[in-house]
Amino acid sequence: MFGIVRPCTHRLSHGLKAEWMAHLCGLCLALRGDHGQFARVVTNYDGLIISVLTDAQSGPGRSPRRTAGPCPLRGMRTASVAQGEGARLAASVSLVLASAKIRDHVADGNGALRRRPVAAAARRVAAGWDRAGARTGAALGFDTAVLVDAVDRQLGIEELAGPGTPLTVVTEPTETATAAAFAHTAVLAGRPGNAAPLAEAGRLFGRLAHLLDAVEDRASDAAEGAWNPLAATGASLAQARRLCDDALHGIRLALRDVEFADSALVHVLLVHELRRSVDRAFGTVSCSHQGHGAPGPYDGQGGNPYRNGGPAPYGQPPQYGQTPGGGPYIHGQQQLNGPQHPYGGGPMGPGGHGGGHGGGSGGGEGGMPPFPQQPKKPRGFLAGCAVAIGLCCTCKLCCAEEYEGPWSRKKREGCCHTCDCGDGCDCCDCCSCCDC
């Protein structure tokens, strides 16, 4: 799975988790039903938002469901899944954007795509997905040419971008594509008045998707010599973070002007989880149930720049909460017994790194700090497909606590694995206690 909105299911109420899974499975099955089994590899977390938006505007009476048969990704269980125009539009958009991603990798010569036979095969797959997505889009009254045109313009913009080019110039094609897709959900739901605010929300969502992808891939792009918006324009992480925070605020305001029949899941995904995605990309927060992080500045427990006045300070290190074992960190304060090593390897004593107690592994008692690992190189298209099939057959995409992305090789979390959150988890049905 890929996408920027990857909610930890422990933060969803039981009902919202079931709804989210219904849209995820509905997108996957719509891809299979309209375009064949292989098309299911483009199932992604962001694409299902199109289905969620259509459903949220239509209301329960116009939101069809069906019972799907057993699936390895659900532990061979049946499930109620979304179907209809929203799921099919999500499938169409996912196919066209996935084909664009393949062409982009071919143009950059990433991995195995440097080889001409592999690149030729990838181009044929991309062309087939373009045609398939266009057919489904036309049946729904959506012209996918706006998506294809945005992708074609992206390559030209990247060639012309240089130091000093605004990041918003680079993200514009992605913004245009997502704005068109979000706006068309209002047409499918029979609420044309929602088209304008949804287009604005989609435009800002596209900006976030582009920027977060650039932030997360910065190290790997540098290692491979691949093009990256931040490196090409000379923009700093603080500048990118400011744009992301502005986009989050804009999406929140735009959604207030949309007339929903049921906005609960939309609010969770596009307000709360999208904010967490930004924090995750910039390294300022992690899910508390996993035991290796504490609530960040935008988790709703204070410091929210849109509710408590003033943005969070950019470029400052994150603040850590009290660790379960009563460790040396105190919320909102520095460590009491000395500064921390910048790589996280315990306090620095007078003797330098590790406090003068060599031979350790970089823990709190001293020792040499661990050196940051080099990012793994992404897999090629065909190798990634083979790994994706293996993940599907072993149910890791669904049930694994953590697995390696088939193409990006980034750490991912299974979409419905379970664990005992304990008292330290900030799970809640946010819409029942949130006033935003």
Side-chain angles (χ1 to χ4, degrees):
M1 301 292 182
F2 56 94
I4 63 171
V5 183
R6 304 189 294 270
C8 172
T9 54
H10 306 85
R11 287 193 296 267
L12 300 178
S13 68
H14 180 72
L16 291 182
K17 177 181 176 180
E19 278 295 297
W20 183 76
M21 286 297 300
H23 288 286
L24 183 63
C25 294
L27 170 58
C28 182
L29 294 176
L31 286 165
R32 184 196 68 178
D34 288 346
H35 311 293
Q37 288 281 2
F38 184 65
R40 299 173 79 178
V41 300
V42 307
T43 303
N44 65 95
Y45 295 132
D46 294 346
L48 70 86
I49 292 176
I50 301 296
S51 179
V52 171
L53 284 172
T54 306
D55 207 18
Q57 296 172 83
S58 301
R62 298 181 55 193
S63 304
R65 294 286 189 273
R66 72 178 181 89
T67 301
C71 174
L73 297 183
R74 294 191 297 267
M76 299 308 295
R77 295 187 297 269
T78 61
S80 175
V81 301
Q83 64 173 347
E85 294 181 334
R88 295 185 67 202
L89 177 62
S92 173
V93 171
S94 296
L95 276 175
V96 174
L97 295 182
S99 72
K101 196 174 186 69
I102 290 176
R103 290 198 301 272
D104 185 53
H105 286 317
V106 170
D108 292 341
N110 292 338
L113 294 175
R114 293 189 182 95
R115 302 174 183 175
R116 290 184 180 179
V118 178
R123 288 192 192 97
R124 284 196 294 271
V125 171
W129 283 351
D130 268 340
R131 292 191 295 270
R135 286 195 302 270
T136 301
L140 299 171
F142 179 65
D143 186 2
T144 58
V146 65
L147 307 183
V148 177
D149 175 69
V151 172
D152 292 340
R153 287 189 296 107
Q154 184 72 54
L155 296 176
I157 290 174
E158 291 181 359
E159 291 176 355
L160 296 175
T165 301
L167 283 173
T168 51
V169 171
V170 180
T171 61
E172 181 275 325
T174 307
E175 296 177 20
T176 300
T178 51
F182 273 46
H184 197 69
T185 64
V187 177
L188 296 182
R191 295 182 184 266
N194 288 342
L198 283 175
E200 176 65 8
R203 183 181 68 82
L204 296 172
F205 182 86
R207 178 180 298 178
L208 275 174
H210 201 129
L211 290 176
L212 296 187
D213 184 65
V215 170
E216 291 181 342
D217 293 346
R218 197 169 52 128
S220 59
D221 286 346
E224 292 186 351
W227 195 90
N228 184 281
L230 299 181
T233 61
S236 66
L237 284 178
Q239 290 174 310
R241 182 64 195 247
R242 262 193 297 273
L243 286 174
C244 289
D245 286 341
D246 289 344
L248 288 172
H249 193 192
I251 289 173
R252 193 171 183 169
L253 294 177
L255 291 178
R256 291 178 180 176
D257 295 331
V258 180
E259 184 181 353
F260 289 111
D262 183 359
S263 65
L265 186 56
V266 171
H267 182 82
V268 168
L269 296 180
L270 292 182
V271 175
H272 291 269
E273 293 301 335
L274 194 54
R275 182 185 62 204
R276 291 180 186 273
S277 297
V278 173
D279 288 335
R280 180 173 59 242
F282 285 90
T284 55
V285 76
S286 60
C287 180
S288 62
H289 85 267
Q290 292 175 319
H292 53 250
Y298 304 125
D299 66 344
Q301 300 180 20
N304 187 319
Y306 310 127
R307 295 176 57 189
N308 298 330
Y314 302 107
Q316 294 186 9
Q319 296 180 351
Y320 298 88
Q322 183 70 32
T323 57
Y329 298 99
I330 298 179
H331 184 70
Q333 302 178 13
Q334 293 181 337
Q335 187 190 7
L336 298 181
N337 59 349
Q340 283 288 302
H341 188 277
Y343 294 139
M348 292 167 51
H353 299 291
H357 297 283
S361 60
E365 297 299 325
M368 288 298 292
F371 290 97
Q373 297 181 352
Q374 292 295 324
K376 295 181 179 179
K377 292 184 178 180
R379 294 187 181 92
F381 174 72
L382 295 180
C385 289
V387 174
I389 293 171
L391 290 172
C392 289
C393 293
T394 57
C395 298
K396 287 188 176 181
L397 283 177
C398 177
C399 305
E401 193 163 313
E402 190 178 75
Y403 65 90
E404 191 177 80
W407 288 278
S408 67
R409 307 192 75 171
K410 297 175 183 176
K411 295 299 182 183
R412 305 295 193 199
E413 182 184 80
C415 59
C416 63
H417 80 275
T418 57
C419 76
D420 184 8
C421 292
D423 296 334
C425 186
D426 55 355
C427 306
C428 67
D429 182 357
C430 68
C431 294
S432 64
C433 60
C434 178
D435 61 355
C436 49

